[in-house]
Structures are given as structure tokens and as C-alpha cells.
Amino acid sequence: MLSVRGLRAGYGRIEALRGVDLEVAVGELVALIGSNGAGKTTTLKAILNLVPHSAGRIAFRGEPTERVPPHVLARRGIGVVPEGRRVFAISTVQENLELGGLARTTRSDARRAMERVFETFPVLRERRRQRAGSLSGGEQQMLAIGRALMSRPDLLLLDEPSMGLAPIYVEAIFALIARLNREGVTILLIEQNATLSLEIAARAYVLEQGCCVLSGPAAELRHHPQVVDAYLGGEFADR
Amino acid sequence: MLVQIVVSGLASGATYALIALGFVIIWNTAAVVNFAQGEFAVAAMFVALVLSRFGHVPLFLALPASVAASALLGWLTERIVIRPVIGRNAMTVVTVTIGLQIVLSDGAKLIFGGQPYPFPAPFSGAPLGFGGVVLPRQSLLVILAMALLVAALHAMSVLTPFGKRLRAVAQDREVAAMMGIDVNRTVAQGFAVSAAVAGVAGVLLAPVIFVSADLGLPLLIKSFVAAIIGGFGSYPGALAGGLLIGVIDNVVSYAVSTDYRDVISFLVLIVMLLLRPTGLFPNHR
Ligand SMILES: Nc1ncnc2c1ncn2[C@@H]1O[C@H](COP(=O)(O)OP(=O)(O)O)[C@@H](O)[C@H]1O
Ligand SMILES: [Mg+2]
């Protein structure tokens, strides 16, 4: 579904990615974990052509995405839940969802997709006339996910969906991501929360200072000493 | 008497309000302060003038054609002038729009010279009387047209996919792109709408003033002040600010002297910035 090879990208003279390789097969849930500043968000933006890359190849569904503008990638089936949620704060919940469905759906498709989002997140239905900016952090995250689902994406990219959320929401969001994947959505999950990511993902990549330093089945990475030390808080990890 | 002064003040205020509205549309969608906004209004005036006076095209065709022409000018502005510098630092972008303002107004001066041209009024006839108060038809037409246009723009913004795209881009360009919205195209269309609104203001204003090549800058200044008074970025604010400036202008010209009408807009601006620096409607879009 998605293939990234030798990706290098940066901001001016700063090199943020120094050769990233990753692969997401159809139907997979793959995690990309790494600490703050490792280059996770830059990887996502380079995949979407929101930041230019200086080297490497990216292909979506086998087609190179070299000169494909971000909005066209969205229309071809890449859905995004951006870091920090970034809901359209002064628009209502319903308008946010409509915007999510604008590019890829007809009016009746959009209505059905919205109905499904409301079934998944009943709280969004209750709040559909409220401004998105007035929602709590957890509700905004649900809205950001719902908005991305409105276009029925084939590949869903999530950038730190658990960031800044209360623990009950964190659990719920991870459970939901696992469920979406079971329902057939291919997912690349970017996270700092390695514990929960490795629980729901099939495979994972560990990114450090712009390089993929480790990769493999999530079950193996959970016990990898390097991962345990750096991301799972040493001895407490293997609960 | 006071009612008449206020109504004709509202009429000129309505044109400032529309130009300010266009100005705010561009600010909100592209984060560009467009100093050429007044020129979009002037362009429409000259197109209407040329078509009706020299081409003998009837006004009911010349007016929409001139509004379409300024929409085209706005669209071209985005494609040719703004897009290459979008995302650069704010000073670069502002300098570019100031440059465009100079090019357009000097261009108009080259073609039409510096002299004023009278413009035919679309609805001539005796002023209308309402219980002893006499109001010129053009003033009423201008106010009515502004109200209709504002209602139409509001409906467009809330109901149409284009309006929704525009508001998404205004809030977050990057996320708008992630949602499949063609940001460049939407911004270009936003420029076209904004310039068309300024064009409507231009053709509404044309019959009550003389059309000349140097009108763009004073119109820009009035609408700029209106937008700031209203709370920069606020649509109701731009409208209220424009109407307020128009009325104050007119009352002062009548009560004191026409010499002070430009000074007074700045005085109002300064007082506003001191008393209510966030503007009349700080949190409305
Ligand atoms: N807009 C930017 N301009 C300059 N440097 C940036 C920018 N965004 C990120 N960086 C730098 O690139 C590196 C990777 O950042 P990022 O991809 O955001 O990391 P992560 O998402 O893993 O926290 C960091 O060193 C960060 O400081
Ligand atoms: Mg990040």
C-alpha cells in the first residue's frame, strides 16, 4: 500500500530525515515510534508532499507520488489525523465532518459516512452543532479521526493520536484504532506511546534522529532490550 | 436633515464596507494584506465606463461585465503576483501588493489620464420622499445592494462547497490540503470573489463620484481603517466599520468642513485603537 525507501528530507539546512525506509502492506497496522524530534511528523509530511524530500522514493499503491500534490493524495485515498488534532476550531463539529468528506464523496455518500462516524462516536452527534474549538481534547481527537474517516480512506495516517489525552481517552483511542484496522483500514500509526502501539500493531519501526534504527514484528520489539530501555521505561515494561 | 446626512453617509459607508469585506476575505484565506484592493474597485469602474460611455453597451450588461472583469483581475492577481511569494515573510508579500497597487493605478493613469469622468446613474429620477425626508435613489440602491450582497456571501460561505472550502483554507491551509482541498485553486477563487465584491462597490460608487485613476488609494485607506475598526479578520466588523466611517465622514463634512473628512477617519481609528484595540467584533468571522 505504502512504500518509503531511503527518504531524506529537512528544513533548510537542518536534516530531519537521513534515510528512512518503511513499508505498509494492505490491511496492516504498522507503528512508527520514536521520541520527540526523531522525525516522525517530518516522515508523514514528506509522504504527503507537504515538505519536499531531497532523496528517496515514495510509492502509494505502487505508484510513485513524486509530483502528486497533497490534496490529490488525499483524493486517492490517504486519510490523515494530524499531530495536535488541528480541527477547524471555529467551524461546527458537523462542518468539520463535511469538510473531511468534501473531496471524495457525493452528498449521499457523505451523509452515510457521517452516520457511521456518529455511530462510532455518539458524543459527536450530540455536539454536532457546537464549535469544534469548544470540545474537550479527547472529543477533538475523536473529531479529527472522524473527519479523516469521512473520506473512507484506504490508508489512514495518524500522528500521535494519544498526545495530551486523559488516560481513559488514550485507551479508547487505541482500541478504536485496532478496531478500524480489523474493519479493513490499512493504518500507519505514529506514536510516542510505545507500550500501547506495540500492543495493537502487527509490525513497528523505531525512528531515532531521522533514521529507522529498528524494525520488526511488534511482539518481538516489545522485548527488544533497546526498545525496553528507551521507550518502555526499563524494568516496568514487561508487566 | 440629519436623517439624509446619515443615509448618504451609510451609502458611501456601504461601498467602504464592501471593499473592506473583500479585503478581509483575502486576509482570512491567504493571510495577505492586499494593498491593491481599492484598485479592484477602480478597475470595475473603468470597465463599466468604457463599455457604457464609449462602447454604448447598456448598463444592465456593462455592470455585470465590469464586476466579472474585476473578478478576473483578482484571480490573475493570485496566479501571477501572489502565488510566487505566498508563504514568504509578511513584509515581502505586503511589498508585492503595494507594488501591484502602484502598477495598477499608474497603469490606469497612463490609459485614462488623471482627469475625472462623469458616470451615468443607472436609476435616475427624482429623489424619493418618505414622510418629509428626501432620499436620493442611488443612496437607497447602494444600501439595498450591499445588504443583498452580504446576505448572498453569507449564504455562499455557509451553504456551498466552495464557501466551506474557503473557510477550511482560512483556518488551516495544511489540514485543508490533507482533506483533499486544492488550496491554491481555492485561494485564487477567494481572490476572484473578493475582487468581484470590490468591483460591485466600485460600480455602486461610480455614479455618485467622478471616476478617476487615483481613486484606488483613498478607497483602500477607508476600507483598511474600516477593517481595523471592525476587528481585523471579522466580516461583520468590516461591515460595521465601513458604515461607521461613512456616516462619521458625512456628518463631519456637513457639521464642520469637508476638509476634515480624511483626518476624521484616522481620528476614529486612533480612538478605537485606544479604547478597544481588538475592534468592534474581535471574535467573529
Ligand atoms: N518547521 C520546521 N523547521 C525547522 N525544523 C523543524 C521543523 N519541523 C521540525 N523540525 C525539526 O526536525 C526534526 C524532526 O522533527 P519532527 O519530525 O517534528 O519530529 P517528531 O514528530 O518525531 O517529534 C526536529 O529536530 C525538529 O526540530
Ligand atoms: Mg511530531
Side-chain angles (χ1 to χ4, degrees), chain A residues 9-176:
Chain A
Y11 305 91
R13 245 175 259 138
I14 305 165
E15 233 198 356
L17 303 181
R18 298 174 298 134
V20 171
D21 298 293
L22 70 93
E23 204 71 46
V24 184
V26 175
E28 258 192 320
L29 198 179
V30 173
L32 177 63
I33 57 181
S35 51
N36 221 348
K40 303 183 298 297
T41 299
T42 306
T43 304
L44 174 127
K45 288 191 177 176
I47 290 170
L48 295 170
N49 284 329
L50 286 166
V51 297
H53 54 279
S54 51
R57 296 201 174 287
I58 304 170
F60 173 57
R61 287 217 204 92
E63 286 175 44
T65 60
E66 215 68 27
R67 272 184 242 300
V68 186
H71 68 272
V72 176
L73 290 172
R75 291 177 195 178
R76 289 189 190 167
I78 302 184
V80 187
V81 178
E83 182 180 77
R85 313 184 256 282
R86 286 167 76 174
V87 296
F88 297 111
I90 64 167
S91 301
T92 63
V93 167
Q94 183 162 344
E95 285 166 344
N96 268 270
L97 294 175
E98 283 167 0
L99 283 163
L102 214 51
R104 238 186 146 218
T105 49
T106 64
R107 235 164 230 263
S108 60
D109 273 355
R111 214 170 299 130
R112 245 173 290 136
M114 193 176 301
E115 200 46 46
R116 279 183 53 150
V117 170
F118 284 153
E119 274 160 27
T120 312
F121 305 110
V123 65
L124 294 183
R125 188 199 302 274
E126 281 164 36
R127 305 216 190 286
R128 67 184 183 280
R129 308 220 176 283
Q130 259 174 258
R131 286 191 174 209
S134 72
L135 302 185
S136 76
E139 290 163 352
Q140 286 189 17
Q141 191 63 65
M142 294 179 196
L143 179 56
I145 295 174
R147 183 178 63 180
L149 292 176
M150 283 294 292
S151 65
R152 309 258 176 106
D154 303 316
L155 172 66
L156 184 62
L157 309 177
L158 299 117
D159 194 351
E160 301 210 32
S162 77
M163 188 207 273
L165 296 187
I168 45 158
Y169 279 125
V170 174
E171 295 272 349
I173 294 275
F174 274 93
L176 173 79

Side-chain angles (χ1 to χ4, degrees), chain B:
Chain B
M1 195 62 210
L2 183 67
V3 176
Q4 267 158 271
I5 294 166
V6 169
V7 169
S8 72
L10 284 175
S12 43
T15 61
Y16 306 149
L18 288 181
I19 297 172
L21 196 64
F23 192 79
V24 171
I25 292 173
I26 288 182
W27 168 251
N28 282 347
T29 41
V32 169
V33 176
N34 179 29
F35 280 93
Q37 195 71 20
E39 307 309 321
F40 293 159
V42 176
M45 292 185 198
F46 274 113
V47 172
L49 184 77
V50 167
L51 287 177
S52 68
R53 251 188 71 176
F54 306 112
H56 303 290
V57 177
L59 274 178
F60 77 91
L61 292 177
L63 295 185
S66 58
V67 170
S70 59
L72 179 66
L73 181 63
W75 187 79
L76 288 172
T77 295
E78 195 282 337
R79 293 305 301 259
I80 297 168
V81 182
I82 302 296
R83 198 173 295 181
V85 298
I86 202 88
R88 304 279 181 83
N89 73 52
M91 215 44 226
T92 308
V93 181
V94 164
T95 309
V96 163
T97 70
I98 292 175
L100 179 67
Q101 189 275 322
I102 294 170
V103 167
L104 290 176
S105 76
D106 284 7
K109 211 165 289 172
L110 274 178
I111 302 171
F112 298 100
Q115 75 269 36
Y117 296 84
F119 189 90
F123 295 97
S124 42
L128 299 176
F130 292 99
V133 182
V134 182
L135 303 171
R137 284 164 192 258
Q138 184 66 20
S139 296
L140 295 175
L141 173 72
V142 169
I143 295 168
L144 186 68
M146 183 202 92
L148 286 177
L149 184 58
V150 168
L153 284 171
H154 180 73
M156 181 201 78
S157 156
V158 180
L159 300 177
T160 69
F162 167 66
K164 287 172 187 169
R165 278 192 280 126
L166 204 60
R167 283 197 298 153
V169 170
Q171 291 181 65
D172 193 328
R173 293 169 74 88
E174 208 171 60
V175 175
M178 291 173 182
M179 299 300 123
I181 294 170
D182 185 341
V183 173
N184 283 333
R185 182 162 154 256
T186 305
V187 170
Q189 290 166 342
F191 265 77
V193 168
S194 158
V197 174
V200 172
V203 297
L204 289 173
L205 193 60
V208 293
I209 53 168
F210 288 97
V211 174
S212 76
D214 52 14
L215 275 176
L217 202 53
L219 285 178
L220 170 85
I221 290 170
K222 294 271 190 228
S223 63
F224 192 44
V225 170
I228 296 174
I229 289 176
F232 217 76
S234 155
Y235 294 121
L239 295 176
L243 294 173
L244 190 67
I245 288 286
V247 170
I248 291 175
D249 253 18
N250 234 31
V251 170
V252 169
S253 311
Y254 177 77
V256 190
S257 153
T258 46
D259 296 344
Y260 291 105
R261 60 190 302 167
D262 285 327
V263 180
I264 214 73
S265 337
F266 286 106
L267 205 61
V268 173
L269 175 63
I270 291 166
V271 170
M272 262 313 283
L273 289 178
L274 287 175
L275 295 181
R276 210 178 145 82
T278 49
L280 295 171
F281 297 88
N283 297 318
H284 284 259
R285 280 272 178 95

